[in-house]
Every structure is written in C-alpha cells, then in structure tokens.
Amino acid sequence: MKCSTSTGTSHCPYLKSLSNKVGSMLCCRGSTNKYSRLDAKLEKKMVEFKRGSLGRSNFKSIDSIIMRFPQFREELKKIRDVFEQYDEDSNGTIDLEELKKCLQKLELHLTAEEIEDLFDSCDMDGSEGIQFNEFIVLLCLIYLLKEPSSSHNTSKIDSPQLEATFDTVIEVFSFLDKNGDGKLNKTDMVKALNETSPLEKSPAHVTRTRFKEMDWSKRGKVSFREFLFAFIDWVGIDTNEEMSPVRSSSK
C-alpha cells in the first residue's frame, strides 16, 4: 500500500470509502456512547504512555512510519493462526463464546463486562462476529489495557514479537498525539503531516480530508480504537488472504 505525503494527492486514497462505510455502520448501530467507557480507559492509557516516554520517539515523520509498514504487515499476519484456531465453525468470524474460550486459553483474564465491551467495540459491522482485522484490534486493545498478572510476570500476552509490534503501534499513535491528551485532533494531524518537509505545507483541505479518514464518529477527535482500525487498513492487512486450502474450499 502506498500512502503519499505529497500535497497534491490523498494520503491514503481508498480510506475515504472505508471511512464512509464504517461511519454508516456506526450510525446503523446507534449512539457511539456505548464505546465511551472503553475509549475513556484507552485515552487514560495513552496519556500515561506519552508522559512516560518524555517526548522520546523512534519516529520523526509520517514517512518514517510508512517505511515500517512491511514489517508491521508481516508481524500482524502471524495472528491469523490464532484467529483460525478459535474460529471453531470456520465461518471467518469469532463469536462471543468463541472469544471467551480464546481469551481463557491465552490466559487473558477479563471480566464478562470487559469482554462484552471489547467485543461490541470491535464488531464494527454489527455482525455479532469478530473478523480477522477486528481481532487484531481487539488483541491490541487488550494488550494496552491489561496489567501483568503478577509482579514476576511482566508479559501481557505470550508473544514477545507481537508485544513489540503492539508497542510500536502505540508509539505511532503517541507520535501523532502532539498535545498528549490521549486522542488525535486536526491540529495534531497538521503538525504530524508537515514535519516531513516544513517548507512544503499540506493544503488545509488535504489535511482535513486525511483527518476525516480516521474520524469515523465525526466528533472531531480520534480515539486509539478508531486509529487502530485505520492503521491496520493503511498497513494493508487483507482479511481474506492466505486462508488455508481446507478452510477456503469449505466455504
């Protein structure tokens, strides 16, 4: 996937249709207030991360993030094996009961309310099932929110490589969150998009378009959850690719 940072082109051309699609899904499902509890927790976590990093970042520009897309893509694809293992009926989605079994097997101990909040917040199309890209978002949210089970066990999920990938995605959000309030706004995006070449500013209408690609709820602010869905699409994770021959032929 190519995301141009030039002033004359859209940052990610196909994201406009994605934004409209998800926006209509949210409208169909009713008020976004149901997500406020989870988003408030995520916002607090992102503020803590920003303060803890003391402004340090491995990213200096949007281009430096885009350069990492192939690595992100390969690491996130590794989650597919876990997804297929717990998609017991092989229908391409994980329902609430399958998710509970998955989290139990992964030793991610959440309350019933937390699981339902995560399930509802990641089931963007209201299909009562978590698709692969939604499953990636769900695991990353759990990783961000979940505390280690004990002082002797600092690992949150049993995959150091995946933890490192999630840490880097969190760092990308922190880089974009210029004022450190745990959410993204238009001012944040203007600063981030213009840091690559300060002498060549993006036109205001281009910046607005790029921000709308993430602001699915049209609140003028982008939560970490909304950012994650957009980011995974930018990276280019194809929900239907690389399905095993047995699963593909059974559909």
Side-chain angles (χ1 to χ4, degrees):
M1 171 196 157
K2 296 182 179 179
C3 294
S4 173
T5 56
S6 65
T7 58
T9 60
S10 173
H11 186 53
C12 293
Y14 59 86
L15 280 180
K16 183 176 181 180
S17 61
L18 172 70
S19 175
N20 292 338
K21 178 181 178 182
V22 176
S24 64
M25 289 174 182
L26 289 174
C27 291
C28 291
R29 298 192 69 186
S31 172
T32 57
N33 288 337
K34 64 189 302 182
Y35 307 131
S36 60
R37 180 168 51 198
L38 176 62
D39 285 342
K41 292 179 181 179
L42 294 170
E43 184 178 313
K44 181 179 179 181
K45 285 288 186 179
M46 296 312 301
V47 169
E48 291 174 356
F49 179 86
K50 186 77 171 183
R51 290 174 179 171
S53 67
L54 300 177
R56 296 186 296 268
S57 175
N58 291 317
F59 299 109
K60 304 301 181 185
S61 68
I62 291 292
D63 285 345
S64 65
I65 294 172
I66 294 173
M67 291 284 289
R68 296 284 294 275
F69 278 8
Q71 180 181 343
F72 285 132
R73 186 181 304 115
E74 291 309 308
E75 289 301 323
L76 293 175
K77 281 181 180 179
K78 294 176 182 177
I79 301 175
R80 188 178 294 280
D81 288 340
V82 178
F83 178 84
E84 293 188 358
Q85 179 182 351
Y86 292 100
D87 177 17
E88 296 178 348
D89 54 9
S90 301
N91 67 346
T93 64
I94 291 179
D95 62 30
L96 184 56
E97 292 306 312
E98 290 172 332
L99 177 62
K100 290 177 181 178
K101 293 178 183 178
C102 173
L103 298 181
Q104 183 178 18
K105 187 68 174 180
L106 295 174
E107 297 186 5
L108 296 170
H109 306 296
L110 286 78
T111 66
E113 181 182 72
E114 289 173 330
I115 294 175
E116 289 179 8
D117 279 352
L118 285 164
F119 186 88
D120 289 340
S121 297
C122 295
D123 179 21
M124 295 301 290
D125 61 0
S127 64
E128 301 299 327
I130 300 295
Q131 299 175 33
F132 178 56
N133 63 325
E134 296 170 335
F135 186 67
I136 295 174
V137 172
L138 187 144
L139 285 186
C140 189
L141 295 183
I142 291 176
Y143 174 69
L144 179 61
L145 294 171
K146 189 65 177 172
E147 299 297 335
S149 58
S150 72
S151 59
H152 303 290
N153 179 20
T154 57
S155 178
K156 298 180 183 180
I157 53 179
D158 188 22
S159 174
Q161 285 185 318
L162 191 55
E163 287 191 9
T165 298
F166 286 160
D167 280 337
T168 306
V169 173
I170 292 168
E171 189 177 346
V172 170
F173 182 91
S174 183
F175 167 77
L176 296 174
D177 179 17
K178 296 303 181 183
N179 66 1
D181 66 353
K183 49 188 176 291
L184 305 183
N185 57 45
K186 290 180 183 178
T187 302
D188 288 335
M189 292 302 297
V190 169
K191 289 181 179 179
L193 292 172
N194 288 329
E195 280 181 351
T196 302
S197 180
L199 298 179
E200 187 179 353
K201 303 287 186 181
S202 294
H205 73 277
V206 173
T207 302
R208 285 196 300 269
T209 298
R210 293 170 183 174
F211 182 77
K212 287 179 181 178
E213 290 168 353
M214 290 191 295
D215 185 20
W216 298 339
S217 60
K218 305 186 186 303
R219 294 177 295 125
K221 298 176 181 179
V222 174
S223 69
F224 181 67
R225 179 176 54 85
E226 291 175 309
F227 161 79
L228 267 179
F229 277 105
F231 184 79
I232 289 173
D233 198 75
W234 295 347
V235 169
I237 298 295
D238 186 345
T239 306
N240 297 314
E241 71 177 6
E242 296 183 0
M243 298 298 283
S244 66
V246 174
R247 290 171 61 88
S248 297
S249 62
S250 65
K251 294 183 179 181

